[in-house]
Amino acid sequence: NVQVPKQDNPLHFDLVLEIGITDARGSATMKGYWVEPFGVRGLQIGPELALQLGIIYASFAATGLPSEFGFAGGIVLGDVSGRLAVSVSENPMHEILMGEIDKLSPQNLVALAEKLTNISLDSQNVPNFFDIEKLKLYCAPAGGSIGTITFEPGFSFVADMVLFGKRI
């Protein structure tokens, strides 16, 4: 557990190293929300972040490339929240793709840009041609994990949005 300045709840880190006869894998996971990282007001990162890398010794020696790579994370900035997870592997059944975003509109995008740049961009007069309440894609054929974040096997797609005045 790591106590972060100006934050009540500590961040929990897991570091994992697996070494086998033919391959190795390492990962790091952060659990909890990191509020205002690097002083960025209104930004939260979490509730889980993970990075994973795996190698098969023979393939790595020949190509210099890992046999698997994965990352997962989430972000909250103002009213907009999103999560993303991607795991790429030599075995397609071990691949994971997950993305989710809540409450995104052109006004949100301009307001976010205003927060990040401290420049007034007049977010109230932005044309409203889309409004995403929820958009989620989940694809994990065999399930798996990225760091210590687990993903159950499955596939789903959810969308609740308005595009050019039409609810989808």
Side-chain angles (χ1 to χ4, degrees):
N1 288 330
V2 175
Q3 190 64 45
V4 180
K6 301 179 185 177
Q7 186 169 318
D8 293 334
N9 297 326
L11 299 176
H12 176 80
F13 289 88
D14 295 318
L15 301 172
V16 178
L17 181 59
E18 302 172 36
I19 299 174
I21 295 171
T22 60
D23 60 355
R25 174 191 289 182
S27 68
T29 306
M30 180 193 86
K31 294 182 180 174
Y33 276 103
W34 185 5
V35 180
E36 297 186 355
F38 309 111
V40 179
R41 294 181 56 211
L43 175 65
Q44 296 181 58
I45 297 176
E48 298 172 314
L49 297 178
L51 183 61
Q52 178 169 295
L53 185 66
I55 62 171
I56 298 172
Y57 303 134
S59 299
F60 187 73
T63 66
L65 298 173
S67 59
E68 68 177 276
F69 173 77
F71 66 90
I75 187 170
V76 177
L77 189 54
D79 295 334
V80 179
S81 65
R83 293 177 51 209
L84 177 68
V86 176
S87 180
V88 180
S89 172
E90 286 185 346
N91 183 345
M93 289 302 291
H94 293 159
E95 295 186 348
I96 297 169
L97 176 61
M98 187 275 294
E100 180 177 347
I101 193 158
D102 293 324
K103 298 182 182 177
L104 182 66
S105 67
Q107 291 82 6
N108 291 106
L109 289 173
V110 172
L112 293 175
E114 287 178 332
K115 277 186 179 182
L116 292 173
T117 62
N118 289 326
I119 298 173
S120 178
L121 300 172
D122 193 19
S123 62
Q124 300 305 316
N125 292 321
V126 175
N128 191 15
F129 57 92
F130 74 88
D131 188 7
I132 297 173
E133 289 296 318
K134 179 175 269 311
L135 181 61
K136 183 175 181 177
L137 171 68
Y138 184 90
C139 181
S145 64
I146 302 173
T148 57
I149 304 169
T150 58
F151 296 87
E152 296 297 321
F155 177 82
S156 66
F157 177 75
V158 175
D160 182 6
M161 62 181 101
V162 177
L163 293 175
F164 301 103
K166 302 290 183 190
R167 179 161 290 280
I168 297 173

